[in-house]
Amino acid sequence: MNFFSEDKLSHMLVARKPEQHGTSVCVGSAEGKKLFIGGGKPVVIAGPCALEAEEEALSLAKGLKELGVSIFRAMLFKPRSSPYSFQGLGEAGLSILDEIKKQTSLLLLSEVCSEREADLTAPHADILQIGTRNMSNFELLKHVGRLNRPIVLKRGMGASIIEWLNAAEYILAEGNPNVILCERGIKTFELYTRFTLDISAIPAVKELSHLPIIADPSHASGRRSLITPLSRAILASGADGLMVEVHQSPQNSLSDAKQALSLNDFIELKKSVQVFL
Amino acid sequence: MNFFSEDKLSHMLVARKPEQHGTSVCVGSAEGKKLFIGGGKPVVIAGPCALEAEEEALSLAKGLKELGVSIFRAMLFKPRSSPYSFQGLGEAGLSILDEIKKQTSLLLLSEVCSEREADLTAPHADILQIGTRNMSNFELLKHVGRLNRPIVLKRGMGASIIEWLNAAEYILAEGNPNVILCERGIKTFELYTRFTLDISAIPAVKELSHLPIIADPSHASGRRSLITPLSRAILASGADGLMVEVHQSPQNSLSDAKQALSLNDFIELKKSVQVFL
Amino acid sequence: MNFFSEDKLSHMLVARKPEQHGTSVCVGSAEGKKLFIGGGKPVVIAGPCALEAEEEALSLAKGLKELGVSIFRAMLFKPRSSPYSFQGLGEAGLSILDEIKKQTSLLLLSEVCSEREADLTAPHADILQIGTRNMSNFELLKHVGRLNRPIVLKRGMGASIIEWLNAAEYILAEGNPNVILCERGIKTFELYTRFTLDISAIPAVKELSHLPIIADPSHASGRRSLITPLSRAILASGADGLMVEVHQSPQNSLSDAKQALSLNDFIELKKSVQVFL
Amino acid sequence: MNFFSEDKLSHMLVARKPEQHGTSVCVGSAEGKKLFIGGGKPVVIAGPCALEAEEEALSLAKGLKELGVSIFRAMLFKPRSSPYSFQGLGEAGLSILDEIKKQTSLLLLSEVCSEREADLTAPHADILQIGTRNMSNFELLKHVGRLNRPIVLKRGMGASIIEWLNAAEYILAEGNPNVILCERGIKTFELYTRFTLDISAIPAVKELSHLPIIADPSHASGRRSLITPLSRAILASGADGLMVEVHQSPQNSLSDAKQALSLNDFIELKKSVQVFL
């Protein structure tokens, strides 16, 4: 009962028309070369759950760049279930973004949780992320729909695929066509993983929509040991990219310590997914 | 894995200390009498899913007042899954709130979806509601935590009880202790109802927290025929109140037509729950 | 997609025809008086998760009888998630059923997990229970559909209401109309309770089917402290009865220790639900 | 609360000991060659949801053999949600199994739903399947644990990974070590697919257990268009095989018509997964 019919979907901006190709979203240029998500080689986005300190962030960004990463997770505003958990560096970290950009030329992806954070972050980041907790924050979606930045829209942990596509429609309807969907796991009764990665959402979105779709096996599983096999599954199913958490020293991470990869783990991951890139 | 321990909860502002009584939240005064939610007689909040036109709203409000209702659902900003569905009257409806207040002295509850909407609505409404889609919009929670208005915080449709209590903590931690929790159903595999009313959440919240808790059987079930038996269950389980959708002519409702009660249905509901009031 | 339409349901034996009254199922006679479930005063079924020893079982049965219980949970075959957990007394306990009957005249309800167990138990018990793990064991359903005993059919923890009614249809289609449905909680993402009691299933079943429905708050919640408020909710919503776990000394129970009530707890429960009986 | 700790798991027969290799289960011999599932090249099991008639079954089996399939789904006993749906050919189809074997030498997999069906089928089939509806039918699990046939144990649609491994333990504990687990989707709130394929279960089972694991994208998704991308994901994540529904003319199938592949679809699938075989 609580879903839009596929019929209704077909009249939307996000809908894939018959024979339509998938959209390539230009997410910025690095060293004179434009980078796209969708319609070509899958991308790998990597970085810590949240930035914690400048020196470590720079060192990690350089390490990831050497390993072929072109988009860095550079999170400053970190929505956490408890108000007493580490909430990210916030506004104070904006200069770190500039420094990473200057020293590495990496494209930067950063999460925003309010209109104010979006306005603050947009000049310093290439891609804005709307996280799972804000997928249904429609006022924020409309706001980023009026910004000139590509948006990674994570799926709400309790949202159906159709509700998620409707959330994307809020952004497109305001004039911003550059939306990349990101599957990150849904709430189910299974407890071995933190969430249940809905792998079917990848080909489902591909048949319903022309928008690119990536997936985040780190938040979905919450377990370091599952990230490589899930990354392979994600790419094999047709996703346009991966987003993974990598930390200088995962055991010291201020958030999501159990799911972050070390640089060495990331090297193994890259080898294991090379065939799909 | 993705939950806070009960231990951790015990240090929070929302936590019930041993032997602590439930909190009574004063939600305003009508005709020289203060009205409280929690710690006493349960309240019934009623009104349409969203206000549609002034005349109907006034007539419905008067009808509900005659039936003993003291708090009116007066929604202007209506977050809808699709950007193309009716989104409420918005700012233009604020004068209707004033008119209803003037003519009926009813207390008014109105949903807000952004900091701007909260600031606009606060002078015209007695109680602000944060809806299910914004339960994890922490920036909005912090904002209403700094306003001088009681807040009804609906449970996220994908949120655990512990995540919900942590969301309430965001409001209390900013200085606003006047939070009323509202159970409204969670996403499950059961399709006969729109959502699954988590009746256990009522006594669970009562043992974990001192905050009042009410429930909304209209959105939970999405079926008119189930609202009366669910209302009885909600009150029998110890809830501090009910929120139900009532519409002048449910079949013409612009949203949630299947779940709205007519005034006559509401009379039957009132009779059926009278023993609990 | 994975559900039967309500249309299709309407042709089934379990379906409620327009204006049809709810069925009263005769579950046996005690002291010359027939006892019914459905269509009248709600019943309370009580007893331990599984029988453990004769003396305690007899003492508990007598205690419950004095408190007005007329149906005793007398489980011998206990399906457990692990093959290494206590599985019940099995066949060896059949003589205990006879002894309880002789000394108390209580009606006895006992779970069966296979055709053989059904044949063994039927002569010694008044009511046979098909548990949640066997709701879709259709060969067993057909078998008990050919026995002359009323059947309590628990809902599968992963089954929709419509799937559950179809399971009941397997029994009725074989010729046994005496089926009592029992809601016992479904699997959801909420972890504070063991399962999520689907309170809406009670009025939903009442509108879809003429069969009686009871509910089990003990297995649903897995928490002693929630059983009384949930029992009130269950009866207030229109259920035909309750099934609760009561143990001589819950802390020593070989299974489900956290959810069993003591006799003193049960006295409190009875007082609290008296208004619905 | 409702799960076994990983600690407890480590003492079980299904548990993977440190450094232990995955088990290879011998599922039979065809043309003088033993076939194994686990520990080597993944297998593809294919065939109709249920056998409907001898001629079509033979023709399909021959077609699949030519395409390199070595194990044929040859279902005679088909548990259906409704007692009025096609239930399979039953006992009358046993001679068809013999004929397929004689004419094709394919290994045959057939589902059994009761002890009697297991005893009837075992002499005619190479592999017995316990379906999702009987995963918690522990008496049946114990029975097939005493038979000399490899068992494919499908995950219950409402069962956690740990509950599923415990179900497998019931078979191993009776002396039959030849169990192959099969992920087939779980119940969640997502409705676009029939069930939600839990892709994480594949690497999760691989780290918890030494047993082989395969997956069934046909029942999981219920949509023909998703089967190829999901098959790629399943194999990329490390599964030991696939089970897919193939029908002579899917549009005429008596069950699961929307999810069956035609022989031509199957050729495309094979090409698409060739890299993983």
Side-chain angles (χ1 to χ4, degrees):
Chain A
M1 303 174 59
N2 54 337
F3 54 94
F4 285 83
S5 69
E6 288 172 48
D7 251 29
K8 212 162 167 184
L9 187 71
S10 70
H11 299 286
M12 286 167 39
L13 298 169
V14 298
R16 182 184 287 266
K17 311 293 177 275
E19 309 298 319
Q20 187 182 357
H21 283 286
T23 294
S24 286
V25 171
C26 177
V27 290
S29 339
E31 297 163 355
K33 244 183 77 184
K34 282 188 178 174
L35 186 73
F36 294 87
I37 299 182
K41 210 178 89 120
V43 300
V44 179
I45 303 171
C49 178
L51 295 191
E52 295 168 12
E54 177 158 351
E55 204 171 342
E56 283 84 349
L58 272 165
S59 152
L60 181 63
K62 287 174 187 169
L64 287 168
K65 190 179 181 183
E66 278 171 30
L67 296 171
V69 167
S70 45
I71 308 178
F72 185 67
R73 260 182 77 98
M75 303 310 200
L76 298 175
F77 302 101
K78 205 54 222 160
R80 301 295 297 282
S81 296
S82 163
Y84 309 125
S85 299
F86 174 62
Q87 308 268 324
L89 295 176
E91 207 170 332
L94 288 168
S95 63
I96 303 182
L97 301 200
D98 295 341
E99 197 58 32
I100 297 172
K101 180 63 121 185
K102 192 173 131 197
Q103 295 199 23
T104 67
S105 302
L106 282 165
L107 297 182
L108 302 181
L109 167 126
S110 203
E111 179 165 358
V112 297
C113 306
S114 68
E115 302 179 26
R116 186 178 156 275
E117 288 174 15
D119 292 343
L120 277 171
T121 306
H124 306 271
D126 300 279
I127 309 170
L128 300 182
Q129 175 177 301
I130 303 293
T132 185
R133 288 174 180 78
N134 283 300
M135 188 208 85
S136 301
N137 179 348
F138 299 140
E139 296 308 309
L140 179 57
L141 297 182
K142 289 183 210 165
H143 187 78
V144 300
R146 295 184 292 260
L147 296 182
N148 182 24
R149 277 284 174 277
I151 308 296
V152 164
L153 177 64
K154 286 197 148 184
R155 180 178 183 181
M157 55 184 85
S160 69
I161 293 170
I162 302 297
E163 290 167 331
W164 184 24
L165 291 173
N166 272 280
E169 187 78 5
Y170 269 97
I171 303 174
L172 271 71
E174 292 292 325
N176 185 347
N178 297 311
V179 173
I180 298 131
L181 298 162
C182 181
E183 160 67 27
R184 48 78 69 212
I186 57 173
K187 287 269 192 107
T188 75
F189 64 78
E190 176 56 56
L191 305 180
Y192 187 73
T193 45
R194 195 168 164 191
F195 297 94
T196 296
L197 180 72
D198 183 6
I199 191 80
S200 312
I202 295 167
V205 163
K206 285 280 171 206
E207 67 187 18
L208 293 171
S209 175
H210 58 88
L211 295 176
I213 178 166
I214 64 175
D216 173 348
S218 303
H219 283 89
S221 68
R223 285 184 179 263
R224 196 173 295 121
S225 60
L226 301 185
I227 293 171
T228 291
L230 292 180
S231 295
R232 287 174 50 85
I234 288 163
L235 295 173
S237 73
D240 298 300
L242 280 182
M243 188 188 302
V244 290
E245 281 191 22
V246 183
H247 195 276
Q248 281 292 82
S249 47
Q251 69 283 8
N252 298 323
S253 176
L254 295 180
S255 50
D256 292 344
K258 284 184 190 166
Q259 72 200 36
L261 300 178
S262 67
L263 274 171
N264 276 340
D265 296 332
F266 184 73
I267 292 170
E268 292 306 308
L269 168 67
K270 278 289 299 258
K271 274 187 209 158
S272 185
V273 301
Q274 202 55 51
V275 61
F276 303 107
L277 297 182
Chain B
M1 301 177 59
N2 53 338
F3 53 93
F4 285 82
S5 68
E6 289 172 47
D7 251 29
K8 214 163 165 181
L9 186 72
S10 70
H11 299 287
M12 287 167 41
L13 297 170
V14 298
R16 181 185 286 267
K17 309 297 177 273
E19 310 298 318
Q20 189 183 356
H21 283 286
T23 293
S24 287
V25 171
C26 176
V27 291
S29 339
E31 298 163 355
K33 242 183 77 184
K34 283 189 177 173
L35 185 73
F36 294 87
I37 300 183
K41 213 177 87 118
V43 300
V44 179
I45 303 170
C49 179
L51 295 190
E52 296 168 11
E54 177 159 351
E55 204 172 341
E56 284 84 350
L58 271 165
S59 152
L60 181 62
K62 287 174 187 168
L64 286 168
K65 190 179 180 183
E66 278 171 30
L67 295 171
V69 166
S70 45
I71 308 176
F72 186 67
R73 259 182 77 99
M75 304 309 201
L76 299 176
F77 303 101
K78 206 54 223 160
R80 301 295 299 280
S81 295
S82 163
Y84 308 125
S85 300
F86 173 62
Q87 309 267 324
L89 296 175
E91 207 169 333
L94 287 169
S95 62
I96 304 182
L97 300 201
D98 296 340
E99 198 56 33
I100 297 173
K101 179 64 123 183
K102 192 173 131 199
Q103 296 198 23
T104 67
S105 302
L106 282 165
L107 297 183
L108 303 180
L109 168 126
S110 201
E111 179 165 357
V112 296
C113 306
S114 69
E115 303 180 22
R116 185 179 155 276
E117 289 174 15
D119 292 342
L120 277 171
T121 306
H124 304 271
D126 299 280
I127 308 170
L128 301 182
Q129 176 177 299
I130 303 295
T132 186
R133 288 174 180 76
N134 283 299
M135 188 207 84
S136 301
N137 178 348
F138 299 139
E139 295 308 310
L140 179 56
L141 297 182
K142 289 183 210 165
H143 187 78
V144 300
R146 294 184 293 260
L147 296 181
N148 181 24
R149 276 285 174 278
I151 307 297
V152 164
L153 177 64
K154 285 197 147 183
R155 180 178 182 180
M157 55 184 84
S160 69
I161 293 169
I162 302 296
E163 290 168 332
W164 185 23
L165 291 174
N166 272 279
E169 187 77 4
Y170 269 99
I171 303 175
L172 271 72
E174 291 293 325
N176 185 348
N178 297 311
V179 172
I180 298 131
L181 299 162
C182 182
E183 161 65 28
R184 48 80 68 213
I186 56 172
K187 288 272 192 103
T188 75
F189 63 79
E190 176 54 58
L191 305 180
Y192 187 74
T193 45
R194 196 168 164 193
F195 297 94
T196 296
L197 179 72
D198 184 6
I199 191 79
S200 312
I202 295 168
V205 162
K206 285 281 172 206
E207 68 186 18
L208 292 171
S209 175
H210 57 88
L211 295 176
I213 178 166
I214 64 175
D216 174 347
S218 304
H219 283 89
S221 68
R223 284 184 180 262
R224 197 174 295 122
S225 60
L226 301 185
I227 293 171
T228 291
L230 291 180
S231 294
R232 287 175 50 83
I234 287 163
L235 295 174
S237 73
D240 299 301
L242 280 182
M243 189 188 302
V244 291
E245 282 190 22
V246 183
H247 195 276
Q248 280 293 81
S249 48
Q251 68 285 8
N252 297 323
S253 175
L254 295 179
S255 50
D256 293 343
K258 285 184 190 166
Q259 71 200 36
L261 301 177
S262 68
L263 273 171
N264 276 340
D265 296 332
F266 184 73
I267 291 171
E268 292 305 309
L269 168 66
K270 276 290 298 262
K271 274 187 209 156
S272 185
V273 301
Q274 201 56 52
V275 61
F276 303 107
L277 297 182
Chain C
M1 303 174 57
N2 53 337
F3 53 95
F4 285 81
S5 69
E6 289 172 48
D7 251 30
K8 213 162 166 183
L9 187 70
S10 70
H11 300 287
M12 287 165 41
L13 298 170
V14 297
R16 181 185 287 266
K17 310 296 177 274
E19 310 297 318
Q20 187 183 358
H21 284 286
T23 293
S24 286
V25 171
C26 178
V27 291
S29 339
E31 297 162 355
K33 242 183 76 185
K34 280 188 179 176
L35 186 73
F36 294 86
I37 299 182
K41 211 176 89 116
V43 299
V44 179
I45 303 171
C49 180
L51 295 191
E52 296 169 10
E54 178 160 351
E55 203 172 342
E56 284 85 350
L58 272 166
S59 151
L60 182 62
K62 288 174 187 169
L64 288 168
K65 190 177 180 187
E66 278 171 30
L67 296 170
V69 167
S70 45
I71 308 176
F72 185 68
R73 260 182 78 98
M75 305 308 202
L76 299 175
F77 303 100
K78 204 57 222 156
R80 302 296 297 280
S81 297
S82 163
Y84 309 125
S85 299
F86 173 63
Q87 308 268 324
L89 295 176
E91 207 170 333
L94 289 169
S95 62
I96 304 183
L97 300 200
D98 296 340
E99 196 59 31
I100 297 173
K101 180 61 123 187
K102 191 173 132 198
Q103 295 198 21
T104 67
S105 301
L106 282 165
L107 296 183
L108 303 180
L109 168 125
S110 201
E111 178 165 359
V112 296
C113 306
S114 69
E115 303 180 25
R116 186 180 155 274
E117 289 174 13
D119 293 342
L120 276 172
T121 306
H124 305 271
D126 299 280
I127 309 170
L128 301 182
Q129 174 177 299
I130 303 294
T132 185
R133 288 174 180 78
N134 283 300
M135 189 207 84
S136 302
N137 179 349
F138 300 140
E139 295 308 310
L140 178 57
L141 298 182
K142 288 184 212 165
H143 187 78
V144 299
R146 294 184 292 259
L147 296 182
N148 181 25
R149 276 286 174 275
I151 307 295
V152 164
L153 177 64
K154 286 197 146 183
R155 180 177 182 181
M157 55 183 86
S160 69
I161 293 169
I162 302 297
E163 290 167 332
W164 185 22
L165 291 174
N166 272 279
E169 187 78 4
Y170 269 99
I171 302 174
L172 272 71
E174 291 292 326
N176 184 347
N178 298 312
V179 173
I180 298 132
L181 298 163
C182 181
E183 161 65 28
R184 48 80 66 212
I186 56 173
K187 287 269 192 109
T188 75
F189 63 78
E190 176 55 58
L191 305 181
Y192 187 74
T193 44
R194 195 168 166 191
F195 298 93
T196 296
L197 180 73
D198 184 6
I199 190 80
S200 313
I202 295 167
V205 162
K206 285 279 171 206
E207 69 187 18
L208 292 171
S209 175
H210 58 87
L211 294 177
I213 177 167
I214 63 175
D216 173 349
S218 304
H219 282 90
S221 68
R223 284 184 179 262
R224 197 174 294 122
S225 60
L226 301 184
I227 293 171
T228 291
L230 292 180
S231 294
R232 286 174 51 83
I234 287 163
L235 294 174
S237 73
D240 298 301
L242 282 181
M243 189 189 302
V244 290
E245 281 190 23
V246 183
H247 195 276
Q248 280 292 80
S249 48
Q251 69 282 9
N252 296 324
S253 175
L254 295 180
S255 52
D256 291 345
K258 284 183 191 168
Q259 73 200 36
L261 300 178
S262 67
L263 273 172
N264 276 339
D265 296 332
F266 184 73
I267 292 171
E268 292 306 308
L269 169 66
K270 277 290 298 261
K271 275 187 209 158
S272 186
V273 301
Q274 200 57 51
V275 62
F276 303 107
L277 296 182
Chain D
M1 303 176 57
N2 54 337
F3 53 94
F4 285 82
S5 68
E6 288 172 46
D7 251 30
K8 212 162 165 183
L9 187 71
S10 70
H11 299 287
M12 287 167 40
L13 297 169
V14 298
R16 182 184 287 265
K17 310 296 176 276
E19 310 297 319
Q20 188 183 357
H21 283 287
T23 294
S24 287
V25 171
C26 177
V27 291
S29 339
E31 296 163 356
K33 242 182 77 183
K34 281 186 178 175
L35 186 73
F36 293 87
I37 299 183
K41 213 177 90 117
V43 300
V44 180
I45 303 171
C49 179
L51 296 191
E52 296 168 10
E54 177 157 352
E55 203 172 342
E56 284 86 348
L58 271 166
S59 151
L60 182 62
K62 287 174 187 169
L64 287 168
K65 189 178 181 187
E66 277 172 30
L67 295 170
V69 167
S70 44
I71 308 177
F72 185 67
R73 260 181 78 98
M75 304 310 200
L76 299 176
F77 303 100
K78 206 54 223 157
R80 302 296 298 281
S81 296
S82 163
Y84 309 123
S85 298
F86 173 62
Q87 308 269 325
L89 296 176
E91 206 169 334
L94 288 168
S95 62
I96 304 182
L97 300 200
D98 295 341
E99 197 58 34
I100 297 173
K101 180 63 122 184
K102 189 173 135 199
Q103 296 198 21
T104 67
S105 302
L106 282 165
L107 297 184
L108 303 180
L109 168 126
S110 201
E111 179 166 357
V112 296
C113 306
S114 68
E115 302 180 24
R116 186 179 155 273
E117 288 174 16
D119 292 341
L120 277 171
T121 306
H124 304 271
D126 300 280
I127 309 171
L128 301 183
Q129 175 177 300
I130 303 293
T132 185
R133 288 174 180 78
N134 283 299
M135 189 207 84
S136 302
N137 179 347
F138 299 140
E139 295 308 309
L140 179 57
L141 297 182
K142 288 183 210 166
H143 187 79
V144 299
R146 294 184 292 259
L147 296 181
N148 181 25
R149 276 286 174 277
I151 307 297
V152 164
L153 177 65
K154 285 197 148 184
R155 181 178 181 180
M157 54 183 86
S160 69
I161 294 169
I162 302 295
E163 290 168 330
W164 184 23
L165 291 175
N166 272 280
E169 187 79 4
Y170 269 99
I171 303 174
L172 271 71
E174 292 292 326
N176 185 346
N178 297 312
V179 172
I180 298 131
L181 298 162
C182 181
E183 161 66 29
R184 49 80 67 212
I186 56 173
K187 288 271 191 106
T188 75
F189 63 80
E190 176 56 57
L191 305 180
Y192 187 73
T193 45
R194 195 168 165 191
F195 298 93
T196 295
L197 180 72
D198 184 6
I199 190 80
S200 313
I202 294 167
V205 162
K206 284 281 172 205
E207 67 187 19
L208 293 171
S209 175
H210 58 87
L211 295 176
I213 178 167
I214 64 175
D216 173 348
S218 303
H219 283 89
S221 68
R223 284 184 179 265
R224 196 174 294 121
S225 61
L226 301 185
I227 292 170
T228 291
L230 292 180
S231 295
R232 287 175 50 83
I234 288 163
L235 294 174
S237 72
D240 298 300
L242 281 181
M243 189 188 303
V244 290
E245 282 190 23
V246 183
H247 194 275
Q248 280 292 79
S249 49
Q251 68 283 7
N252 297 324
S253 175
L254 295 180
S255 51
D256 292 344
K258 284 183 190 168
Q259 72 200 35
L261 301 177
S262 68
L263 272 171
N264 276 340
D265 297 331
F266 184 74
I267 291 170
E268 292 307 307
L269 168 67
K270 277 288 300 257
K271 273 187 209 158
S272 186
V273 302
Q274 201 56 52
V275 62
F276 302 107
L277 296 181

